[in-house]
Amino acid sequence: MIDSLLLWALALLTAPLFAGVIFKVKAFFGGRKGSPLLIHYYTLAKLCKKGSVYSTSTTFLFKLGPVVSLAAAATALLFLPMGGQPPVLTFDGDVIFVLYLLGLARFFTIAAAMDTASPFEGMGAAREAYFPIICEASLFMILILFYRLSGDLNLGAYFAGENPRGFWQTAGSPLLFVVIALFIILLTENARVPVDDPATHLELTMIHEVMVLDHSGPDFALIEMGALLKLFFYAAMVARLILPLQPGHPLLNLGIFSLGLLLVYVAVGITESVMARHRMDRVPKFVLTSFALAFFATIITLEFLR
Amino acid sequence: MRLFFLSLLIIASGGVLPLLFFRQFTLMRILGATFIGAGCCFGLRDAFARLAGGGAASASFDYLSTLTLAFRIDGLSAFFLLAIFAVCLLSAVYSFSYLSDPRKALGTAVSYFFFSLLTAAMALVVAAANMITFLLAWEIMSLASFFLVVHDHRRPETRKAGYLYFVFSHVGAMFIVAAFGVLYGGSGGFEFDATGLSQTAKLWVFGLAFIGFGSKAGVFPFHVWLPHAHPAAPSHISAVMSGVMIKTGIYGILRMVGILELYTPAVGTVVLVFGVVSGVLGVVYALGQHDLKRLLAYHSVENIGIILIGIGIGMIGVATDTPLMALLGFAGGLLHVLNHATFKSLLFMGAGVVLHKTGSRTIDALGGLLKKMPVTGATFLVGALAICGLPPFNGFVGEFLIYLGSFEGVAAETPVLALSLLAIVGLAVIGGLALACFSKVVGVVFQGEARSPAAQAVDEKGGAAMLLPMIVLAAACAVIGVYPAAFLYMPLQAAAALGLEVGRIPLESVARLSTNITLAAAILLAALLIVWALRRLLYEGKPIGCSGTWGCGFTQPTARMQYTGTSYAASILEFFKPAAPLEEDHPAVAGLFPDRTHYRSHVHDIVELHLNSAVVTPVTWLFDKLRWIQHGDIHLYIGYILLAIVVLLFFV
């Protein structure tokens, strides 16, 4: 319990660090030196020092949006096993709760965006409402597979202890599909290239960044932190799947888990460097790929299990 | 039973008294609202007592000295009575402020009369213990609600909606009569008893009853009347109709399941598939609506779908002997009945306040209402979160149970697994679409800037009787969501009445489940408070400014430039084009300085679109061909009667 709480706190603290890796990788591909690894800490600190300017169109929902999105992401991480340790909290069906919790965060982010009466933010909000629908379907597809493999319906049963390795032993190659599907979901849910480009110069083509255009100061810091935690949440799942090793010593376990995380963040950076953003009307097809992969993985595994 | 009949009497007097006192406008409304409300309070007390272990009660009376009117209230009836009386009580309170036009005094009195009749009839439907009683109550209910739908009968679209509702409710009733006929043929009595029926006959009864009850419940593809009738009725009536009246259809289906004991996987599959289709298409059509109340009406189709998914999972669980799956499915579906009654009536009441104050139901003409109507806006937001199934509100609890029930089926062999898969992915897609739809409604109607002068000049003055029920309902959404333990025993009692042996199912797993939900909600609330405190701390002594929205370099924005609900939903609707054909009307932009232009769009309901060519045209063609029978010669008519008597004599 104490270990798990410490790991949770560590996750909150290091999520910005890992995200800095993405910038470094992109800089490397661009032949630049890039921003320092700790850039996200500097940004957060700078934002926290500032005041805010609120739009006259906004209501209390605008201020509630960042709070809910950060609180939901932090709560979701409580249910996530890290480094093979059991999670802080777990119960039967906590996966469903966590997914709907992230849905709650999404609702409030959208509400905060719609509060500003800006057409651009409305555009981003509409996309934010659309793409995750498909993500949710494929996530539940993956859950069905995991439930079938482990007989449990909680994150602890999937990602703690020896479990991911057991999955590889029974499901084998179909689990590769799941890894790719989860990675696509990660890219979509966290507004990364090729779904969304946070670094574009045009508000018209953004999703997440345009939704938070009007947020400033500590509010914006809360949003950034929430987004970093959400990215960490998905990255941790992929990391456990690709490096399911569990040597035994807690520090060694943690080391392997961190290496896995690093790999995922580097992969995100590489994807961002070598790919261009899809046209918006092509994105659903891209996201649907993840559903197809998860679906096939489930079907194939069922055949094996029989 | 005495308390039950007393409550009906008080409700009925709440309908008659306004007719007598319609000249004193305020007195009339006080009488109507108080008596109906008081009657509902008595009824609620009775239903609670039954659910808390009072056991079943029954009563019967002779009617026309040949038939018996029999009533019986068991756990299932009491559960539905609870929803009926609670929503009608709050709607009665709401109606006091909503029906505030003294020029329509007589119309208001008539509306109270039919409202009381509807309330009493719904209570009688779920309490009826034989076919005659059931059908009598069912017809009273359909007719009373028909007159409530045509309340605003001067508008042609209201009359059209009323006509459509009339046709649908009677075709539906015919199917129910047919089902009862088969049942009667097997058992030889008017009691609900299916012991003597063959398996085929049982399937016929269920099939016919499913169509009949399904058309009342608004199951796709029998839902066509629903999006027309709900918006046409006054808002508190929409709340009653959508919140509880359509649930009598669900009650009918469940009662049939209980009577027929038809637990084969095939029947459960049919219910489940209808549920998934209703759920997904209901919310897709809702997304495409421009009319706020019509949108909410389509969401009823969606939520009936979710309830049917739960029932289907429950039936499959019974059929495959997976007790936990059965219990979770039925309990989830039934709890969703109660949940939908709370949040949907809350949302309709909210839409009613918007309509009352702005005179408009067009989503894209509203905006910014949250600032001037904080209570309406906040309670509507709670309702929206609840209907999206987001924690920590009640919608989540019901869906959570259904999810868990479906996952129980994943462990089973392939055919059941495929159904569970359908249910789970269906629920996930429904959840995501509902979130998109309600973020659109909240965002466009209540947030941003007002798009029309009517939406600009609003307030909440003089509507206390409208706001109070909404606050109560919003609180109920939160309480059930955070502390479901107190409410979970109700659907379990109802499921026990279905003949499911709840006793042999490990109930502690369900109890543990509710503590888990409470724990998770508490942690979420704690996290929210901590982050909120952090935010306060960070803003300590900081400069906070106020300015216009950042317009990306554009300096002359108008409210009409906001993203509209239509554009918000456009890309999602594009995805569902085959099921929801979109008709657009806008001339192409031509030249350097284009003229004033316009844009209109309409999402077609495929059932409505094809109803005419697939059903209406063949039926009229058939009757056209049979017209020669009716030629106006009275002698031949007498001949028909004679012939009929002779034929009957041979058969009987």
Side-chain angles (χ1 to χ4, degrees), chain B residues 521-586:
Chain B
I523 286 168
L524 173 63
L525 290 181
L528 280 175
L529 284 179
I530 291 170
V531 177
W532 185 257
L534 179 73
R535 181 183 177 278
R536 285 286 296 272
L537 201 72
L538 288 173
Y539 272 107
E540 199 70 44
K542 297 274 175 61
I544 289 178
C546 222
S547 173
T549 298
W550 161 237
C552 306
F554 191 74
T555 51
Q556 295 288 317
T558 79
R560 299 235 2 219
M561 285 170 62
Q562 285 174 93
Y563 223 50
T564 57
T566 311
S567 36
Y568 190 91
S571 46
I572 305 180
L573 288 173
E574 178 76 25
F575 188 83
F576 286 96
K577 216 171 194 173
L582 181 72
E583 186 187 295
E584 284 177 308
D585 165 31
H586 72 109

Side-chain angles (χ1 to χ4, degrees), chain A residues 48 51-52 54-57 61 63 89 91 93 100 110-111 115-117 119-120 122 130 141 147-148 214 219 302, chain B residues 371 389 400 403 407 410 412 417 447 449 523 535 539 542-547 549-550 552 561-563 568 575:
Chain A
C48 285
S52 274
Y54 289 111
S55 156
T56 42
S57 303
L61 275 173
K63 294 166 189 164
L89 288 166
F91 60 81
Y100 273 73
I110 292 175
D115 224 13
T116 57
F120 289 115
Y130 178 18
M141 209 65 225
Y147 181 82
R148 189 76 190 193
D214 252 71
D219 271 341
L302 288 179
Chain B
K371 266 171 278 183
F400 187 64
Y403 268 124
F407 271 105
V410 170
L417 166 78
Q447 298 183 288
E449 293 289 338
I523 286 168
R535 181 183 177 278
Y539 272 107
K542 297 274 175 61
I544 289 178
C546 222
S547 173
T549 298
W550 161 237
C552 306
M561 285 170 62
Q562 285 174 93
Y563 223 50
Y568 190 91
F575 188 83

Side-chain angles (χ1 to χ4, degrees), chain A residues 11-13 15-16 44 70 73 220-230:
Chain A
L12 295 190
L13 285 177
L44 290 173
L70 176 57
F220 191 48
L222 296 182
I223 288 183
E224 289 281 281
M225 192 61 199
L228 290 171
L229 291 183
K230 196 170 152 191

